[in-house]
Amino acid sequence: MARTRSLYRLIRPLLFRLNPEASHRLTIALLSAAGRFFAAADDPPELHTNLWGLDFCNPVGLAAGADKDARAVLGWAGMGFGFAELGTITPRPQRGNPRPRMWRLERERALINRLGFPGAGMYAAKVCLERARASGLRMRIGLNFGPNKNTAPDQVAEDYAALAVHLGPLAEFIVLNVSSPNTPGLREWQAPERIGAIVDAIRAALTGTVQIPLLIKISPDLQHPMLAQLCAAAMDLRIDGIVATNTTLERERVGVSSSYQGGLSGEPLKLKSRAIIAEAFKQLDGRIPIIGVGGISSAEDAYEHIRAGASLVELYTGMIYEGVGVVGAIKRGLTRLLVRDGFRSVSEAVGTATR
Ligand SMILES: Cc1cc2nc3c(=O)[nH]c(=O)nc-3n(C[C@H](O)[C@H](O)[C@H](O)COP(=O)(O)O)c2cc1C
C-alpha cells in the first residue's frame, strides 16, 4: 500500500491537469472496470465494530458524493473501505447545475463544489447495486437520498419515500441528505417538524417490510440552538444515526478566501466538523451513533473524529489529495493509535475526548 501511495504521488499531477470533474469521471470508470480484480486484506480485530446489529470489518467509509450512481462498488470494497455511502441518489435522473461546478483549492487541500446532485436516478442505481450485491460483498452499503431539484416542496417527503421503497432493501442503512448547500431550500428540511414529515413518509411507505436504519446527514453550519433541537428531534423520532457533516458555506471563518460558490470540503472543514460531532455527541448523550466526516486525510484525523464522538468515519476530499492508499494508511495508523492508548476496539474510544 505504501507503494500505491508513492505511485499516486506520481500520477496525481497528471490527474490534476484534468478539470476535477473529468478526473473524477476517469477514476470512477477505472474503478468500475477494474474493481472486481482488487481484493482487500482482512482487517485486524481492533478495527471490527458493530452498529445496528451489523458487523463492520473496519470503521473507515467512503463519503457520499464520490459515487453518486453506485457504479464502482466493488472498487471501493477492493480499496479496503469498511462501508461506502453511495449517492446522493434522486428519484429521477437530473443534470445538476451548469458547469464549471467543482474546483480544487490545492494549497488549502480543499474542494468547492456546487454539483447539485447530477445523477442517473434511482432505477439506474438499482441495476448497479443489484449487480454488486450479486457478487457477494463484505463491505457495508449506505444509500444517501435526496429530492429532485424540480420536486415541489409538498412532494419532497414523497421523493424520499419512493427512494426508500425502491432502493432500501439493497442498503444496510439509509441516509437522508437534508444538508447539501447546492439544492435550494434543502437545508430547511433540517427543522425538526420538517424532518419528522420525511421520516413519517418513509416509515409509512416501508410498513410491513424490513426496517432499515435511518440516518440524517447534517450541515456544519447549524447554529447551536438548531443543532440541539435537531438532536432532540432525532431522539424523539427514533432516528438510528447522524452523519456529521456535509460541506460548509463558510469561508473566512475556516481560513479560506475564495469567490467560488458552493460547499467547501477537505482540510479547512476538519475542526468545524469535529466541533459539531462533539456537540452532537453531548446532546445525544451517546445514545445515537454518529458517522463523522469532514477533512479526514490521516489516521490521526480519523482517530480524533472518533474520540470526539464518531462511531464510524468517512472521507472524500482526503482521498483526492492522498490517493487510494490513504484507506490502508488510515486503518494501519488507527490500529496503532488504539493500541497505544490501551483501547481494545474502536467503540471503546468513541467520545473519550468529549465525555
Ligand atoms: C465533489 C463533492 C460532491 C459531494 N456530493 C455529496 C452528495 O451528493 N451528497 C452528500 O450528502 N454529500 C456530498 N458531499 C459531501 C461529502 O460527503 C462530505 O460530507 C464532505 O465533503 C466532507 O468530507 P471530506 O472533507 O472528507 O470531503 C460531496 C462532497 C464533494 C467534495
Side-chain angles (χ1 to χ4, degrees):
M1 270 298 176
R3 228 180 304 140
T4 321
R5 295 193 87 186
S6 318
L7 187 64
Y8 187 73
R9 294 223 168 92
L10 286 177
I11 60 169
R12 192 175 69 181
L14 300 175
L15 272 181
F16 276 25
R17 259 194 229 164
L18 297 172
N19 75 56
E21 263 201 82
S23 73
H24 186 67
R25 266 200 309 277
L26 179 65
T27 310
I28 293 285
L30 287 173
L31 276 173
S32 86
R36 75 197 124 100
F37 302 115
F38 302 168
D42 285 344
D43 291 309
E46 291 85 354
L47 293 188
H48 288 222
T49 195
N50 188 292
L51 282 180
W52 315 297
L54 294 167
D55 279 323
F56 288 73
C57 56
N58 73 71
V60 184
L62 177 76
D67 191 0
K68 290 179 187 278
D69 292 323
R71 287 186 209 271
V73 180
L74 300 185
W76 308 120
M79 278 169 63
F81 281 113
F83 67 105
E85 187 182 325
L86 307 164
T88 293
I89 304 170
T90 55
R92 300 172 298 287
Q94 64 180 24
R95 286 176 186 279
N97 291 325
R99 295 191 168 105
R101 53 193 184 175
M102 185 170 165
W103 299 268
R104 295 184 197 98
L105 309 183
E106 286 189 44
R107 198 163 31 96
E108 291 86 354
R109 299 175 75 75
L111 291 174
I112 293 179
N113 91 85
R114 56 159 181 267
L115 294 170
F117 302 161
M122 66 181 176
Y123 295 109
K126 189 171 186 183
V127 173
C128 295
L129 286 163
E130 282 173 343
R131 206 178 296 141
R133 283 278 180 215
S135 57
L137 270 184
R138 187 178 49 167
M139 183 184 75
R140 299 302 189 181
I141 291 192
L143 295 180
N144 174 307
F145 295 155
N148 280 102
K149 186 178 179 183
N150 63 4
T151 298
D154 63 349
Q155 293 296 309
V156 163
E158 299 312 317
D159 267 13
Y160 285 101
L163 287 154
V165 168
H166 284 91
L167 298 179
L170 290 162
E172 265 100 24
F173 63 93
I174 289 173
V175 180
L176 308 177
N177 180 4
V178 283
S179 49
S180 168
N182 301 313
T183 295
L186 188 68
R187 286 173 156 204
E188 287 157 28
W189 287 88
Q190 292 176 113
E193 66 289 355
R194 299 188 85 183
I195 194 74
I198 298 176
V199 171
D200 288 348
I202 292 179
R203 290 203 174 125
L206 290 179
T207 306
T209 65
V210 239
Q211 289 301 309
I212 307 149
L214 216 52
L215 286 72
I216 13 183
K217 183 163 180 182
I218 65 172
S219 160
D221 301 332
L222 281 173
Q223 299 303 320
H224 177 69
M226 181 77 185
L227 177 60
Q229 286 161 17
L230 185 54
C231 290
M235 288 190 281
D236 284 351
L237 290 165
R238 288 175 291 106
I239 292 288
D240 299 284
I242 301 282
V243 183
T245 69
N246 214 312
T247 53
T248 180
L249 287 175
E250 279 188 3
R251 296 290 186 269
E252 285 77 19
R253 283 168 72 178
V254 292
V256 170
S257 107
S258 168
S259 55
Y260 297 127
Q261 302 284 306
L264 174 80
S265 59
E267 179 68 29
L269 175 62
K270 184 166 68 187
L271 295 184
K272 194 170 166 57
S273 294
R274 191 171 296 153
I276 295 272
I277 294 166
E279 185 55 33
F281 184 79
K282 272 192 223 151
Q283 296 288 334
L284 297 167
D285 204 15
R287 277 185 280 166
I288 298 182
I290 297 168
I291 300 184
V293 50
I296 293 178
S297 68
S298 69
E300 287 74 16
D301 295 340
Y303 187 53
E304 290 311 323
H305 274 21
I306 290 169
R307 289 190 356 99
S311 294
L312 299 171
V313 292
E314 295 178 341
L315 69 156
Y316 179 177
T317 307
M319 186 177 63
I320 305 232
Y321 285 98
E322 297 293 326
V324 296
V326 72
V327 183
I330 290 177
K331 292 194 296 180
R332 280 190 302 278
L334 193 51
T335 312
R336 211 178 41 243
L337 291 165
L338 289 167
V339 171
R340 181 197 71 188
D341 292 348
F343 297 119
R344 281 162 304 173
S345 65
V346 174
S347 59
E348 283 188 4
V350 173
T352 46
T354 299
R355 275 203 184 95

